[in-house]
Amino acid sequence: MTQQWVTVLGSTGSIGQSTLDVISRHPDRYSVYALTANRQVDTLFAQCLEYSPKFAVMVDEESAAVLSQRLSDKGSDIQVLSGPQALVKVSEAGEVNQVMAAIVGAAGLLPTLAAAKAGKRVLLANKEALVMSGKLFMDAVKENGAELLPIDSEHNAIFQSLPSNYEQKGFAPSGVRKILLTASGGPFRGQSSDQLQSITPAQAVKHPNWSMGQKISVDSATLMNKGLELIEACWLFDVTPDQVEVVVHPESVVHSMVQYNDGSVISQMGNPDMRTPIAYGMAWPDRIESGVDSLDFFALKQLNFEAPDHEVFPALRLAAEAFELGGTAPAVLNAANEIAVEAFLQEQIGFDAIPSLIQQTLKAHKVQPADTLETVLQADHWARQFCKDLMN
Ligand code: NAD
Ligand code: MG
């Protein structure tokens, strides 16, 4: 196979670092075209020295100036760019084969969409981008011959468990009865609404099974991560929320499942380590070494499953409602969530205020068809402002 040039959007984050770990195991297959970060100069500098990309992008201008100086002191010829437009440039560049979309939140939308429009293989970790712009994004993939490989572990598992001609055949003709989306239940599984009131940010970001960035860790604690993933699954696999069932599985070993009409259930299992779905997406349809150990079933002994608690964790219901409202509603859900999570991390609001702020923002929104990027971005801006105003 020919050498693949990879742009890693959000290379300093949890997914970005796992991606580089996989790349470093396969210098014969992958070369780094560009690495990008918001403002983590030290980490991006170290990554530049190790992976020698052609471009390094820091969205923050001052950080870019510092990185540029430090690289030129080392005699490096890596080009440093800055600003959000530079993210788009390194995503759509002609030489790039694959783009790892691992920026967190709405900030990843434009470069991820640019990769789809440029017909790249898009390795989608940045679920918020798809939630915001679902139809636009899926249309861009189809119209431009892009390859969309889900990196989110659940969606990667579903992708692996569906037949390879699923996209042509669709849900019912493939004999699919239900998609079972697994959820760890987060650090507060089994707690009551009263107990959730006194949760601190430090408790919320401590996930029992996965090591992840702060925002997705809080999303996992509220179950909004599963809500966003429900919407993500609807777009990726062309289904409605009632065709997807959330199954709480505290061990995070079964990464999701597909139930067929003959009674079969196909699942993908593995240790909870994102290098598995990353390696799968990068090498598909091949399989390559990812650095992840095989499961030890004798050490595991048992796997547990239970139903989600919709009373204590209303986020799942909110997400399903937003998807059913359609248009700009999912973008509004996502934006309000980003604002509320940030405020919670800054200790400005309590943990239980997160879903209620989202609900109020959704309720006040006048849903528009989400058929242009401008409409989506306007809804995103409106929701951010509305949610901030609710907190003041
Ligand atoms: P993280 O916080 O560890 O890293 C985020 C990255 O995005 C960093 O490189 C940061 O510099 C960059 N970034 C942040 N704000 C930016 C901005 N305004 N402009 C440009 N770049 C910006 O996050 P993460 O845990 O790696 O998650 C990344 C994405 O992958 C999220 O969408 C998350 O939902 C998804 N995801 C993560 C995991 C996981 O295990 N961490 C699993 C599934 C999906
Ligand atoms: Mg996931």
Side-chain angles (χ1 to χ4, degrees):
M1 81 165 273
T2 55
Q3 190 79 2
Q4 298 283 296
W5 284 93
V6 186
T7 282
V8 185
L9 299 171
S11 65
T12 57
S14 165
I15 293 287
Q17 296 189 29
S18 294
T19 304
L20 291 176
D21 183 277
V22 172
I23 288 177
S24 66
R25 292 164 196 275
H26 303 280
D28 52 321
R29 290 183 79 114
Y30 304 110
S31 299
V32 179
Y33 181 79
L35 295 175
T36 87
N38 193 16
R39 51 175 82 239
Q40 295 85 347
V41 178
D42 291 343
T43 312
L44 196 59
F45 176 64
Q47 290 181 343
C48 283
L49 297 185
E50 191 174 346
Y51 295 95
S52 309
K54 293 192 177 179
F55 294 94
V57 180
M58 302 228 73
V59 176
D60 178 57
E61 262 179 53
E62 275 174 44
S63 307
V66 176
L67 178 70
S68 179
Q69 186 59 52
R70 285 174 68 180
L71 284 171
S72 66
D73 289 350
K74 283 271 179 190
S76 158
D77 57 3
I78 299 170
Q79 278 197 52
V80 178
L81 308 175
S82 75
Q85 201 46 40
L87 297 173
V88 170
K89 182 180 148 117
V90 298
S91 295
E92 65 189 15
E95 291 150 277
V96 174
N97 304 102
Q98 309 196 350
V99 175
M100 167 53 78
I103 290 174
V104 58
L109 175 60
L110 294 181
T112 306
L113 198 56
K117 286 187 181 156
K120 308 298 184 194
R121 173 171 295 198
V122 183
L123 305 160
L124 186 73
N126 182 202
K127 64 194 89 184
E128 297 92 342
L130 181 61
V131 167
M132 291 173 75
S133 69
K135 184 165 163 27
L136 280 175
F137 190 85
M138 297 308 288
D139 286 350
V141 167
K142 283 190 202 100
E143 284 160 17
N144 300 285
E147 285 177 320
L148 182 55
L149 273 295
I151 299 303
D152 213 346
S153 57
E154 296 77 2
H155 305 74
N156 190 271
I158 296 162
F159 184 86
Q160 294 196 42
S161 304
L162 286 169
S164 56
N165 61 356
Y166 176 79
E167 212 184 307
Q168 293 82 52
K169 276 178 98 172
F171 189 86
S174 298
V176 180
R177 199 178 268 165
K178 210 145 222 179
I179 288 174
L180 304 179
L181 183 69
T182 56
S184 70
F188 311 129
R189 184 177 57 88
Q191 298 206 2
S192 67
S193 302
D194 287 350
Q195 285 170 303
L196 291 192
Q197 283 177 18
S198 53
I199 296 299
T200 64
Q203 290 170 310
V205 299
K206 241 180 131 251
H207 196 275
N209 307 331
W210 298 94
S211 151
M212 310 181 285
Q214 285 206 326
K215 191 257 175 185
I216 181 173
S217 298
V218 176
D219 286 349
S220 299
T222 58
L223 289 205
M224 185 49 89
N225 182 50
K226 212 51 55 181
L228 298 174
E229 289 184 358
L230 176 67
I231 299 176
E232 183 184 12
C234 289
W235 287 115
L236 286 174
F237 307 115
D238 194 18
V239 294
T240 51
D242 59 302
Q243 292 172 314
V244 181
E245 182 160 4
V246 174
V247 177
V248 175
H249 164 48
E251 291 86 4
S252 301
V253 162
V254 174
H255 296 309
S256 279
M257 306 177 261
V258 176
Q259 230 169 28
Y260 289 89
N261 56 9
D262 61 1
S264 301
V265 179
I266 310 276
S267 78
Q268 184 262 353
M269 294 187 253
N271 283 312
D273 187 320
M274 290 305 293
R275 289 175 302 176
T276 297
I278 291 168
Y280 181 89
M282 292 184 73
W284 179 84
D286 295 349
R287 293 211 182 238
I288 56 169
E289 179 66 53
S290 68
V292 180
D293 290 337
S294 292
L295 271 181
D296 178 349
F297 282 95
F298 303 116
L300 270 174
K301 292 196 176 68
Q302 57 177 344
L303 299 174
N304 292 280
F305 301 93
E306 57 191 63
D309 185 338
H310 293 283
E311 294 304 312
V312 180
F313 300 101
L316 270 179
R317 178 178 45 79
L318 288 173
E321 277 170 21
F323 184 82
E324 259 138 23
L325 281 168
T328 47
V332 165
L333 170 98
N334 176 69
N337 182 53
E338 287 192 28
I339 294 298
V341 168
E342 185 56 29
F344 167 70
L345 286 169
Q346 303 297 327
E347 300 188 45
Q348 290 159 0
I349 59 166
F351 184 77
D352 53 337
I354 299 173
S356 97
L357 285 165
I358 298 167
Q359 181 163 25
Q360 290 174 72
T361 309
L362 258 183
K363 204 170 164 207
H365 179 60
K366 255 190 89 211
V367 178
Q368 310 275 324
D371 42 16
T372 68
L373 189 57
E374 289 66 41
T375 324
V376 170
L377 294 176
Q378 266 170 20
D380 172 88
H381 292 156
W382 172 85
R384 281 166 199 272
Q385 195 54 53
F386 187 87
C387 190
K388 280 181 191 159
D389 292 345
L390 282 177
M391 292 186 290
N392 292 324

